[in-house]
Amino acid sequence: MKIKIQSIHFDADRKLVEFITEKVLKLEHYHDKIIDATVYLKLNNHHTKANKHVEIKINILHSTLFKDAEAETFEAATDIVMDTLKVQIRKHKERLLEKTQKILSNS
């Protein structure tokens, strides 16, 4: 899987990039047809503590999954996004299996 990480208006340090890469690579356990992932890291100009914004877009064969979140740290926002993406991937895979079984039963 190819992973592209873009930090907007700041430079992400190596530890953050490694943390995100490690988390995104774990998604391959849930679906083996993941083509690539694009991660956007943004610092919002809010005056609240939760100004770290993470967006992750996953391209799976014939589909795209997306989730974003804000939190006090990029790590926390990444964890929120990853939990949701895991659920989305499982549901996507279940739908594909249902379609396949329906096609096979009609043949």
Side-chain angles (χ1 to χ4, degrees):
M1 168 184 5
K2 289 175 37 178
I3 301 172
K4 182 178 179 182
I5 299 175
Q6 294 183 346
S7 52
I8 300 170
H9 301 301
F10 76 100
D11 292 325
D13 67 343
R14 187 175 48 83
K15 278 184 164 181
L16 179 60
V17 171
E18 288 174 1
F19 174 82
I20 293 170
T21 302
E22 181 181 309
K23 290 282 188 175
V24 172
L25 284 173
K26 288 182 181 179
L27 290 176
E28 288 184 317
H29 295 291
Y30 299 95
H31 201 298
D32 58 346
K33 302 286 189 210
I34 297 176
I35 300 166
D36 65 354
T38 305
V39 181
Y40 298 100
L41 306 172
K42 298 178 188 175
L43 273 173
N44 290 332
N45 291 331
H46 301 299
H47 296 292
T48 60
K49 288 185 177 184
N51 66 344
K52 312 297 189 296
H53 189 87
V54 175
E55 298 177 2
I56 300 180
K57 182 176 84 170
I58 304 276
N59 289 314
I60 299 177
L61 194 62
H62 307 296
S63 187
T64 300
L65 304 177
F66 176 83
K67 178 62 181 158
D68 65 332
E70 284 189 9
E72 290 185 22
T73 65
F74 285 112
E75 291 83 359
T78 301
D79 287 338
I80 294 167
V81 170
M82 296 306 295
D83 290 342
T84 306
L85 281 174
K86 287 176 190 174
V87 172
Q88 287 182 12
I89 290 171
R90 279 192 216 122
K91 286 183 180 181
H92 174 75
K93 198 169 182 179
E94 287 173 8
R95 280 188 230 118
L96 285 176
L97 288 173
E98 287 174 7
K99 283 183 181 179
T100 305
Q101 290 173 350
K102 191 174 186 178
I103 291 170
L104 291 175
S105 67
N106 289 337
S107 317

